[in-house]
Amino acid sequence: MEIAGRGSGHNVGMATHVALLRGINVGGRNKVPMAELRQVVTSLGHTGVTTYIQTGNVLFSTASTSTTELASAVESAITGAFGVRASVVVLTRDELAGVLKDNPYPDEPNPKLVHVVFLNAGPPKDLLDRIAAAESAAAAKGARDTVTAIGHALFLHTPDGYGNSELAQALFRIISAPGQQKKAESLAATARNWATATKLLTLCDEK
């Protein structure tokens, strides 16, 4: 497992943001209709609200500069409207671009074999240690899968396929562990494959 650092930018004034919801519309559970989701986000005072595919990707513009407050407000609004508790990670357009620029696996031609786990904070050391242990365990069985932590993101590369990746399953078990969520500031995390992540940036730039 590799860990690298990067700087963070700051946006002033109106900016396009992306809200990434975790765990909605999966296997018939936590159903959130996109049209109603757009209404909920618009009701928070945001403008130009659009969604992309059913996994919960919302693009909007706002004058607010606190992605933490934005995420909290969206989470509360979703719970109030749909009775669904969904973790939300909000990024500015520039933050999303920065994450994508950091991709440590630029030579992987298949966009479904690279996943980005977006976090609302830097991953704590104990979490990284557990991920590194899971990576070593998978490698001992012959897996080529790797995880690289950069800033507020984890990059997962599954060259032999995502669907049968033990490391992918272990990674999400670790992130979702009850111990993680009990902390004062529980870590919000949600994954997107490379195709979806890059499409979201394209949509930001088209707005």
Side-chain angles (χ1 to χ4, degrees):
M1 176 168 183
E2 295 178 32
I3 302 171
R6 63 181 298 266
S8 60
H10 184 67
N11 277 46
V12 179
M14 293 298 283
T16 303
H17 289 63
V18 179
L20 305 172
L21 283 59
R22 179 182 181 190
I24 67 163
N25 300 332
V26 178
R29 293 177 292 110
N30 294 345
K31 289 188 177 179
V32 175
M34 292 300 102
E36 293 176 35
L37 177 60
R38 290 192 291 273
Q39 291 176 351
V40 167
V41 176
T42 299
S43 74
L44 296 174
H46 307 318
T47 59
V49 180
T50 58
T51 52
Y52 175 65
I53 63 179
Q54 297 294 312
T55 50
N57 308 286
V58 188
L59 296 93
F60 61 93
S61 290
T62 180
S64 174
T65 57
S66 171
T67 52
T68 302
E69 292 175 8
L70 288 168
S72 179
V74 172
E75 281 182 13
S76 297
I78 290 169
T79 302
F82 308 107
V84 170
R85 291 186 64 83
S87 294
V88 177
V89 177
V90 173
L91 298 94
T92 66
R93 179 265 170 211
D94 289 349
E95 286 171 342
L96 175 60
V99 171
L100 299 185
K101 184 168 61 68
D102 286 337
N103 177 21
Y105 308 109
D107 297 327
E108 173 54 67
N110 187 340
K112 294 185 177 177
L113 298 184
V114 175
H115 281 70
V116 186
V117 182
F118 295 94
L119 308 172
N120 63 344
K125 184 180 183 302
D126 66 313
L127 183 76
L128 294 176
D129 288 345
R130 288 158 67 197
I131 293 171
E135 184 179 274
S136 295
K141 297 179 182 179
R144 297 187 296 156
D145 303 346
T146 55
V147 177
T148 300
I150 302 177
H152 290 188
L154 302 171
F155 294 84
L156 169 68
H157 185 215
T158 53
D160 299 316
Y162 176 76
N164 55 4
S165 168
E166 282 191 25
L167 180 57
Q169 295 173 20
L171 176 62
F172 292 109
R173 276 200 305 270
I174 291 167
I175 291 172
S176 305
Q180 284 302 126
Q181 303 308 321
K182 285 176 187 169
K183 293 179 179 175
E185 287 190 271
S186 60
L187 194 67
T190 184
R192 299 292 185 271
N193 69 33
W194 191 249
T196 299
T198 52
K199 177 64 175 180
L200 289 172
L201 182 60
T202 299
L203 291 172
C204 280
D205 291 340
E206 289 174 353
K207 284 174 72 67

